[in-house]
Amino acid sequence: ETAEQHAAFNARIARGEKIEPGDWMPAEYRRQLIRMISQHAHSEVVGMLPEGAWITRAPSLKRKTILIAKVQDEAGHGQYLYHAAETLGATREEMLDALLAGKAKYSSIFNYPSLTWADVGMIGWLVDGAAIKNQTMLAGCSYGPYSRAMVRICSEETFHHKQGKEMIVTYAQGTPEQRQMAQDALNRWWWPSLMMLGPHDADSPNTGALVQWGIKLKTNDEVRQEFINEHVPELLEAGLTIPDPDLHQDESGNWIHGPINWDEFWAVVKGQQGLNRERLGARQQAHEEGAWVREAMQAYTARQMGQAAD
Ligand code: FAQ
């Protein structure tokens, strides 16, 4: 890598140009993108598990069809993202191996259990809400395939967000048991949703390089502030109590949260706390049970190629 190549690359970023798969890019830009996009893909796929667990127990046919569509969307998001990472030279096999071996990260949020039906609504409202804030920003990122995947994913997640909010607002105005269920779900998902947007900027080793290269257009704390400012008034309006005694609005209108338990965050990321083992076990089982599909596809491709050669 020469200084001239770096200068030309930085100039492209500064002009707001998209970097495309065949273009020259610094090895570190490629490495950072593969890291982020593959983690993101794994998150979408593992993210099917907490909600998928409730498909058979949905309270009505309407809610069940919505949930099936949502979980299926997450699988599709995983597909776009694995493809985006493949454009950078990562293979599907090495990414999946890294996930199943417990070497790859996926979002901390999916190591929390979904204990009641209200969790499905709360995941839609808060987790998709946080994901949309982060991904609307990433839709403007400098790497073309990732930014375009984000545009489509965000529009689908806007539907996920709305169905979750509609569900929770309905329960928050329902029977005392429903109100309690919605509040309990908020109590358990509020802090993990704040953590999901990553460590504070001062403790975020990757943010500097990512911002410099136009991969992240905002820092973790900036995105978290946007998420809080949008969601706090809506949750309060729904009649729910946010489980943070220190939460207050400052003079500029920002909602300021109390201290986040980062020890819990890191324990969950490292699999020392939460459902990491169960999540990876479920993925391992799905991978093994899908072996016949992969074999059938390979046999089909081999036969097609054989016919083409005839
Ligand atoms: N969980 O230096 P930073 C979704 C790691 S999709 C686990 O700040 P960065 C859709 C980080 O990897 C949700 N690990 O990192 C859905 C790094 O470790 P490394 C996923 C985390 O990359 C909804 C270390 O900490 N979205 O929810 C987490 O600059 C509903 C230091 O951190 C994406 O992946 C975490 N939460 O910023 C599906 C979006 N946070 O790799 C189903 C793309 C940080 O150096 C149902 N990713 N770490 O070993 C990003 O925007 C960024 O990667 C951040 C982290 C913002 C997540």
Side-chain angles (χ1 to χ4, degrees), residues 30-175:
R30 187 186 300 275
R31 188 194 70 80
Q32 279 283 6
L33 277 170
I34 292 175
R35 175 189 71 83
M36 223 169 113
I37 301 173
S38 62
Q39 287 181 5
H40 193 169
H42 298 325
S43 303
E44 299 282 355
V45 171
V46 176
M48 290 194 282
L49 296 169
E51 291 175 287
W54 282 91
I55 290 175
T56 55
R57 294 174 285 172
S60 70
L61 187 57
K62 181 182 124 185
R63 298 267 185 227
K64 189 196 274 254
T65 48
I66 292 172
L67 182 57
I68 291 171
K70 180 182 193 298
V71 172
Q72 182 179 295
D73 283 352
E74 312 300 357
H77 299 172
Q79 285 285 5
Y80 308 150
L81 289 163
Y82 283 125
H83 281 304
E86 281 167 344
T87 65
L88 292 155
T91 69
R92 183 77 62 114
E93 288 71 24
E94 64 196 22
M95 289 188 276
L96 287 183
D97 285 350
L99 174 67
L100 296 177
K103 286 192 214 135
K105 287 198 170 71
Y106 58 84
S107 183
S108 52
I109 195 83
F110 301 118
N111 280 340
Y112 289 85
S114 47
L115 299 180
T116 73
W117 171 255
D119 288 16
V120 171
M122 202 53 83
I123 291 172
W125 197 356
L126 296 187
V127 178
D128 283 277
I132 290 169
K133 287 281 172 242
N134 163 265
Q135 293 171 177
T136 303
M137 178 260 299
L138 293 175
C141 88
S142 58
Y143 188 57
Y146 194 27
S147 97
R148 291 187 288 272
M150 286 298 107
V151 173
R152 179 154 175 197
I153 290 177
C154 282
S155 60
E156 292 182 353
E157 281 183 351
T158 301
F159 150 72
H160 300 170
H161 185 238
K162 283 186 184 149
Q163 64 84 37
K165 180 174 167 183
E166 188 271 336
M167 205 192 295
I168 295 299
V169 168
T170 302
Y171 298 148
Q173 295 165 353
T175 64

Side-chain angles (χ1 to χ4, degrees), residues 196-245:
M196 160 187 176
L197 293 163
H200 285 312
D201 297 349
D203 303 314
S204 166
N206 298 298
T207 293
L210 294 176
V211 168
Q212 192 195 332
W213 276 324
I215 296 173
K216 271 185 180 178
L217 304 185
K218 293 172 187 162
T219 68
N220 298 355
D221 285 329
E222 286 168 351
V223 175
R224 190 164 21 242
Q225 190 64 60
E226 277 186 9
F227 167 76
I228 296 176
N229 285 353
E230 178 184 315
H231 286 78
V232 166
E234 294 185 351
L235 289 161
L236 295 177
E237 202 182 316
L240 296 167
T241 306
I242 295 165
D244 177 356

Side-chain angles (χ1 to χ4, degrees), residues 232-286:
V232 166
E234 294 185 351
L235 289 161
L236 295 177
E237 202 182 316
L240 296 167
T241 306
I242 295 165
D244 177 356
D246 297 322
L247 187 71
H248 65 279
Q249 222 169 356
D250 69 7
E251 313 78 58
S252 62
N254 284 328
W255 285 92
I256 308 300
H257 63 77
I260 293 177
N261 184 348
W262 294 111
D263 291 341
E264 174 183 318
F265 171 77
W266 289 114
V268 171
V269 170
K270 290 180 189 150
Q272 294 155 354
Q273 192 178 325
L275 297 181
N276 174 257
R277 191 175 308 173
E278 288 81 352
R279 298 301 186 223
L280 288 186
R283 287 312 313 151
Q284 184 70 48
Q285 189 186 343

